[in-house]
Amino acid sequence: MNAQLRAQVCSLREEVRQFCRESMPAQLLEKSHRHQVLDKADYVQWMKLLHQRGWAAPHWPAAYGGADWTPLQRFVLEDELARQGCPWIIPFGVKYVGPVIYAFGNEEQKARFLPNILSTDEFWAQGYSEPNAGSDLAGLKTQAVRDGDHYIVNGQKVWTTYAQWADWLFCLVRTSHEGKPQAGISFLLIDMQSPGISVNEIKTMDGYRHVNEVWLENVRVPVSNLIGVEGGGWNYAKFLLKNERTAGAIVGQAKHVLERLKQFAYTPQNDQRPIERPALRHTLTNFELRFMALEAAAYDAVEAMMLGHEDGGEASIIKIRGTELYQEVSETLVEAMGMAGVAFDPQALHAATLPPLGPDDAGGIIKEHFYNRAATIFGGSSEVQRNILAKVVLGL
Amino acid sequence: MTTDLETISMLRDSFERYCADHYDFLARSQRLNAATRYSDSTWQALAEFGFLSACLPESLDGLDADAYALGALSEVTGKHMLLEPFLACAVIAPSVLRWLADAALQAELLPLIASGSLKLLLTQDHLQTDCLISDGHLSGRQLGVLHGDIADQFLVPARNSQGQSVLCLVSPEHPNLGKHTYRLVDGRGAANLSFDAVPASLVCSDASRVLEALQQVRDIASAALCAEEQAIAQALLNTTNEYLKVRQQFGKALATNQALQHRMADLYLLSKEIQALTQCARLACSQTPVDRRTLSGARAYCIQAARRIASEAIQLHGGLGITEELQVSHYVRRLMVNASQYGSREEHFEHFAQLSLPEQGAAYV
C-alpha cells in the first residue's frame, strides 16, 4: 500500500479513536466495553451519533447524503470502530436496502425511504432466509401474487435479525415460478405494521433476542413498494452483496478479541501471568501470525477494489479467515478464563451487574463467543465462501 | 473390587431407562428456565434406584463401583446432560469419605448420602487455597464451586495453623457461611463461598493422605468425564449424520456433498479415538499404581476431540445449530463446563508432557 494511502489510513484511524474517547456517551461506552446486550434505544443512539459525524453511510454517493468514500476509507472506519469494541453498525438500512433503493428505486421511493434510513428514524430488517432456503436462497418460496395495485404476500422468513424492532422489512419474494428460480424473485419493501405479519423470537444459545421468524399471512403490499422490476430481485440482492466486500469489521473484530486475549494473558492470576505458560504463548504467537496474514490479505483486497482488478474471491478470503480466527481466539480466551468462562446469566447481560467471577467483561466475552459461533454460518457460510473461491477464482 | 460386566450393563440400562422416561431433552429444556435447575425429586428417584449407593461399600448396600461402572453411569449422565450433581455428590464426596474419614464419620454420613438426604460436596480437588482452619473454625473463600448452590454440606481442603494441608467438614447452613449462587452456561449452578470463622471439624489432618485423596479424585473424575464426552460425541455424531441425510439444499441432501462426507468421516475417527481413550482411562484408574500419564493424556485428548466434534456439529447444522431448540448447542455448553472441572485441558496436557517427555531423556540419547 503506497505512502499516501498509509497516511490517509493513519489519520482516519486516529479520528475514530478520538471519536470513541470524546463523542460517545459514557453509558454507551461502558456498555460497549463490557459487551453488554444493547437495546433498541442504544443502537438508535449509536447510529444517530455516527450519522452526526457523517459516518453512518459515508460510502453512499454524495447526491444521496453520503460522502463518496473509497473502499479503503470504508474499510478503515469499520475496522477501527470494531477494534475499539464499538457497537455493531446496524447494516440493514445504511448498508443493504439503502444502496438498493438509490441504485434501483424510483424517485418516490428514494424520497420516501432514504432520509429515514440515514437518520435511523426508521429501523429495517432483512427478509431473506427461509426454513428451506438458507445457503440455497434462490429456493425461497414466500410468494407475492398480484391483486390490482397490491401484492398479496404469503410465506415465512427466518433468522430475521431485530425483526422485533423493525418498522420496515425488505423482502425477497417469489413473483414467478417460471424459468430459473433466480429469475422469479422480486424485491419488495413491506411495512411491518401491515396486518398479517407476526414475529416470533428464535431463542439462541447467546441468551438474548436477536433473530426471529417472520410469518406473512395474506399481507397486502402496495405495488409501489416493488423496487425496480418484477424478477429483478436476485440481481438487486447480488448488487447488495457486492457492496459488502470490504468487511473491515471482520478484521477489526478479530483484532479486538485478540487484544483482549493478550490483555488476559498479561494479567497476573495467582502470581503468574498466563503468557508465561509456553503452550499459551505458542498459541498466541500463532494467532498473531494469522492476524498479520489476515490484515495483509484484507488490504490487498481493498487495493484490488480501488484499482478495479478484483478476482471475485476477496470478500470470501476475509470472511473465511477473519471469522475462523475470531472463533479460535475467542475459544482460547473463554477456556483460559476457567470457571469465569462458564459463569453465565443472560439476565445480567441486560443489566449492569458485575459477573460473579473473573473480569468485569466476563459475561460479555462469553456472550460474544456464543453469538459469534454463528459468524461462520451467517452472511454466507464458510462452506459457501469456499464454493465461491473454488468456482469463481479457481474455475473448478 | 472390580464390578462385573453384567452388573455394569444392568446399572447402565436401568439408569438409561430412567432418563429416557423422565429426563428426555424436552423435559430437561423446560427445567432450564427455573431459578434452580436442580430437581430434588430427581435426586430422590436416583436414591430409590440405588444409583446414589454406587460408590458405597457392600456393607452399606453399595456396589463398591469401580471406574468401569462409574464410566457406564457417566455415559448416561453425559448423554442426558444431567443437571443433578451425580459425579460430585454420589461419587466424589462419598469416595473421599471412604479414603479419609474415620469409621464413625463414614457410618454417620454415607447412609445419608445413599438415601439422598445429604448432598455432600468437595469444594476443590487441589491444595491451593486461602482457607485456614484454626480452633475448629474455618475462614477463607472458595470461588467457582460447581453445584455449590445446591449442596447441603461442604468438604473443604484447608491449611491448619501449622500451614499443613488438611480436609475439613464444614457445618451446614451457618450464618457466617456466605453463598453467592449463580448459573453456568449449561444450566447447572455454582457458588462463591465465603467462610467467616464457620465451625468445622477435621476429617483428615495427614497432609500426604489428603494430597493423595485429591489426586485420586482427579483420577476418577477424569475417567468419568471422558465417559461423558464419549456419550456426547456419539450423540452429536448421530444427530449430525441424520441431519445431513435429511436436510436438502440446491435440490439434494447435504449428505451427497463429498466435502461433508469427508468431514463426517473425520468426526467419526475422533469419536472412535474418544471411545478407545475412555476405555484406556478406566483401565488406567484400575491399575496399581494408577497410570496418571494415560489419565491426563486421555483427558487432554478427549476434551479437545469432543470440542472439535461439537463445533463441527454446530457448523454442519447451519443456523439451527446455535438455537436453544436443538440439543447440539446444549452439548457444546455441557462440554465447556466439564472442561473447567478437575483439571483444565492445558493442565492435563502439561501433566502428560511431564510424564511422557522427562527432563533427562536418557532413553533417546
Side-chain angles (χ1 to χ4, degrees):
Chain A
M1 213 191 1
N2 66 43
Q4 197 184 30
L5 286 184
R6 272 183 204 283
Q8 195 181 54
V9 161
C10 274
S11 68
L12 179 55
R13 281 194 192 279
E14 187 43 47
E15 278 179 57
V16 174
R17 283 183 217 125
Q18 192 179 23
F19 170 81
C20 293
R21 280 193 303 267
E22 295 168 12
S23 307
M24 279 183 82
Q27 210 209 16
L28 188 60
L29 200 58
E30 168 69 16
K31 271 182 149 182
S32 301
H33 283 162
R34 291 175 44 191
H35 288 293
Q36 276 187 264
V37 173
L38 302 181
D39 57 28
K40 186 179 180 184
D42 291 322
Y43 278 116
V44 173
Q45 181 187 37
W46 166 241
M47 293 303 293
K48 283 181 179 290
L49 266 171
L50 285 175
H51 182 47
Q52 263 162 40
R53 192 66 176 74
W55 287 347
H59 55 286
W60 287 22
Y64 295 114
D68 283 308
W69 271 23
T70 64
L72 176 64
Q73 287 169 300
R74 261 195 95 174
F75 176 85
V76 169
L77 172 70
E78 289 171 19
D79 178 19
E80 191 60 39
L81 284 171
R83 285 182 196 220
Q84 297 305 317
C86 290
W88 191 38
I89 300 177
I90 306 283
F92 308 109
V94 294
K95 289 195 192 186
Y96 298 167
V97 74
V100 166
I101 292 173
Y102 68 62
F104 303 106
N106 58 40
E107 293 312 306
E108 287 82 22
Q109 289 165 337
K110 292 178 195 175
R112 166 66 184 83
F113 292 111
L114 294 181
N116 287 340
I117 287 172
L118 279 171
S119 65
T120 314
D121 279 334
E122 280 175 329
F123 202 100
W124 284 78
Q126 176 180 30
Y128 272 25
S129 297
E130 297 179 2
N132 285 316
S135 293
D136 182 13
L137 184 57
L140 66 91
K141 293 196 176 69
T142 296
Q143 267 203 133
V145 174
R146 189 73 184 256
D147 176 31
D149 51 12
H150 283 82
Y151 286 104
I152 315 293
V153 181
N154 277 285
Q156 185 198 351
K157 293 297 181 185
V158 78
W159 313 126
T160 323
T161 304
Y162 294 138
Q164 78 273 29
W165 295 343
D167 301 299
W168 283 86
L169 181 75
F170 62 94
C171 204
L172 288 181
V173 297
R174 182 160 296 289
T175 41
S176 168
H177 292 274
E178 281 164 50
K180 284 173 65 177
Q182 290 86 340
I185 293 173
S186 299
F187 201 106
L188 262 189
L189 307 181
I190 303 182
D191 185 340
M192 288 295 282
Q193 296 307 308
S194 311
I197 299 184
S198 44
V199 178
N200 295 326
E201 180 182 2
I202 297 174
K203 287 196 189 296
T204 48
M205 65 187 296
D206 42 55
Y208 71 103
R209 181 174 184 178
H210 48 99
V211 287
N212 300 271
E213 289 173 337
V214 177
W215 297 84
L216 302 129
E217 198 183 324
N218 294 325
V219 179
R220 299 185 70 84
V221 181
V223 166
S224 53
N225 287 9
L226 176 74
I227 294 290
V229 297
E230 270 191 25
W234 192 252
N235 289 328
Y236 311 147
K238 281 203 297 193
F239 164 85
L240 187 159
L241 275 177
K242 271 191 92 170
N243 231 4
E244 271 316 285
R245 280 160 12 263
T246 53
I250 293 180
V251 176
Q253 280 180 318
K255 178 68 168 168
H256 179 81
V257 74
L258 181 53
E259 289 299 298
R260 185 64 188 90
L261 173 59
K262 282 155 71 177
Q263 191 182 41
F264 180 86
Y266 280 97
T267 306
Q269 269 187 314
N270 298 327
D271 299 323
Q272 196 210 28
R273 299 177 309 165
I275 190 82
E276 285 151 44
R277 302 200 297 260
L280 184 62
R281 189 163 176 276
H282 184 94
T283 300
L284 256 172
T285 306
N286 268 319
F287 288 154
E288 289 276 20
L289 277 174
R290 285 166 64 181
F291 180 75
M292 197 162 86
L294 165 68
E295 191 178 28
Y299 273 112
D300 276 356
V302 169
E303 192 175 47
M305 283 172 220
M306 303 275 275
L307 300 173
H309 54 59
E310 306 142 74
D311 61 15
E314 288 81 6
S316 299
I317 293 175
I318 299 174
K319 185 158 197 288
I320 291 168
R321 283 298 198 243
T323 55
E324 289 176 2
L325 177 60
Y326 180 99
Q327 288 176 348
E328 286 181 55
V329 174
S330 179
E331 185 167 86
T332 302
L333 175 57
V334 169
E335 186 187 31
M337 285 161 63
M339 275 305 273
V342 295
F344 189 67
D345 184 355
Q347 313 287 3
L349 292 174
H350 296 266
T353 49
L354 286 177
L357 281 174
D360 286 2
D361 60 346
I365 290 171
I366 299 171
K367 181 266 281 177
E368 286 293 294
H369 178 64
F370 285 158
Y371 175 82
N372 281 305
R373 184 59 197 82
T376 46
I377 298 171
F378 61 52
S381 67
S382 296
E383 288 74 21
V384 163
Q385 302 300 339
R386 285 177 166 90
N387 279 348
I388 291 170
L389 290 177
K391 214 164 125 176
V392 173
V393 181
L394 300 175
L396 294 170
Chain B
M1 194 223 123
T2 315
T3 321
D4 67 85
L5 290 175
E6 208 190 309
T7 309
I8 293 175
S9 270
M10 270 172 41
L11 254 184
R12 189 212 329 258
D13 289 349
S14 67
F15 201 3
E16 174 58 42
R17 231 185 344 265
Y18 170 80
C19 288
D21 291 341
H22 302 282
Y23 223 98
D24 68 14
F25 182 63
L26 199 55
R28 180 183 179 278
S29 292
Q30 277 154 5
R31 290 172 43 190
L32 287 176
N33 296 323
T36 307
R37 279 72 52 206
Y38 161 82
S39 154
D40 203 53
S41 60
T42 301
W43 197 248
Q44 295 311 314
L46 297 185
E48 277 160 36
F49 275 89
F51 300 127
L52 303 188
S53 315
C55 290
L56 265 54
E58 291 181 333
S59 55
L60 288 177
D61 292 330
L63 288 168
D64 204 9
D66 63 358
Y68 288 88
L70 294 175
L73 292 174
S74 298
E75 285 174 41
V76 180
T77 60
K79 180 180 168 192
H80 295 275
M81 293 181 279
L82 204 78
L83 295 161
E84 286 69 31
F86 180 75
L87 177 62
C89 295
V91 177
I92 301 297
S95 299
V96 170
L97 286 180
R98 289 186 65 183
W99 297 327
L100 297 180
D102 62 30
L105 190 61
Q106 288 194 41
E108 183 196 333
L109 297 185
L110 291 178
L112 296 176
I113 290 177
S115 70
S117 46
L118 171 66
K119 293 183 299 297
L120 182 64
L121 184 70
L122 176 71
T123 54
Q124 64 175 48
D125 68 338
H126 58 88
L127 292 173
Q128 281 109 34
T129 175
D130 67 0
C131 286
L132 287 168
I133 181 161
S134 174
D135 281 332
H137 289 81
L138 182 73
S139 294
R141 292 177 319 158
Q142 291 279 267
L143 302 180
V145 180
L146 173 64
H147 300 304
D149 58 329
I150 46 88
D152 300 309
Q153 200 168 2
F154 299 106
L155 285 169
V156 185
R159 273 184 234 291
N160 61 16
S161 23
Q162 283 86 51
Q164 292 155 334
S165 297
V166 298
L167 185 70
C168 312
L169 176 68
V170 186
S171 77
E173 292 305 320
H174 192 274
N176 291 7
L177 200 171
K179 254 201 210 188
H180 174 196
T181 64
Y182 45 91
R183 196 191 160 112
L184 302 180
V185 294
D186 69 349
R188 288 184 279 186
N192 292 342
L193 306 170
S194 59
F195 308 107
D196 185 10
V198 179
S201 55
L202 283 172
V203 172
C204 180
S205 48
D206 180 338
S208 64
R209 284 182 63 211
V210 172
L211 177 63
E212 179 57 24
L214 294 184
Q215 285 175 336
Q216 283 177 283
V217 162
R218 194 163 276 207
D219 297 336
I220 320 178
S222 293
L225 292 177
C226 282
E228 283 218 352
E229 262 130 47
Q230 176 189 332
I232 290 173
Q234 195 58 49
L236 284 169
L237 197 70
N238 292 346
T239 192
T240 307
N241 216 37
E242 277 316 299
Y243 183 74
L244 292 180
K245 289 178 188 171
V246 160
R247 174 67 171 170
Q248 302 236 342
Q249 287 286 268
F250 304 103
K252 52 191 176 126
L254 296 189
T256 59
N257 291 292
Q258 195 179 59
L260 299 188
Q261 290 170 5
H262 289 177
R263 280 163 74 174
M264 283 304 290
D266 280 338
L267 300 189
Y268 171 75
L269 275 170
L270 284 172
S271 75
K272 293 303 277 184
E273 289 176 324
I274 292 174
Q275 188 179 15
L277 285 174
T278 299
Q279 275 299 106
C280 286
R282 290 174 198 182
L283 177 62
C285 243
S286 314
Q287 316 256 273
T288 315
V290 166
D291 175 359
R292 291 194 168 130
R293 175 181 172 270
T294 297
L295 275 170
S296 272
R299 193 85 201 91
Y301 196 93
C302 289
I303 289 175
Q304 183 68 3
R307 184 181 292 156
R308 169 95 192 281
I309 293 175
S311 182
E312 277 281 78
I314 288 188
Q315 185 70 16
L316 291 168
H317 273 85
L320 286 175
I322 52 110
T323 61
E324 280 290 289
E325 201 187 316
L326 251 62
Q327 281 182 304
V328 180
S329 74
H330 293 262
Y331 280 132
V332 168
R333 286 172 276 173
R334 177 86 174 186
L335 290 175
M336 283 173 77
V337 176
N338 282 2
S340 73
Q341 299 296 305
Y342 305 109
S344 68
R345 184 188 57 90
E346 201 186 320
E347 282 171 335
H348 283 289
F349 183 90
E350 286 303 326
H351 190 217
F352 178 75
Q354 273 161 37
L355 295 175
S356 305
L357 302 166
E359 280 276 321
Q360 306 304 320
Y364 298 97
V365 178

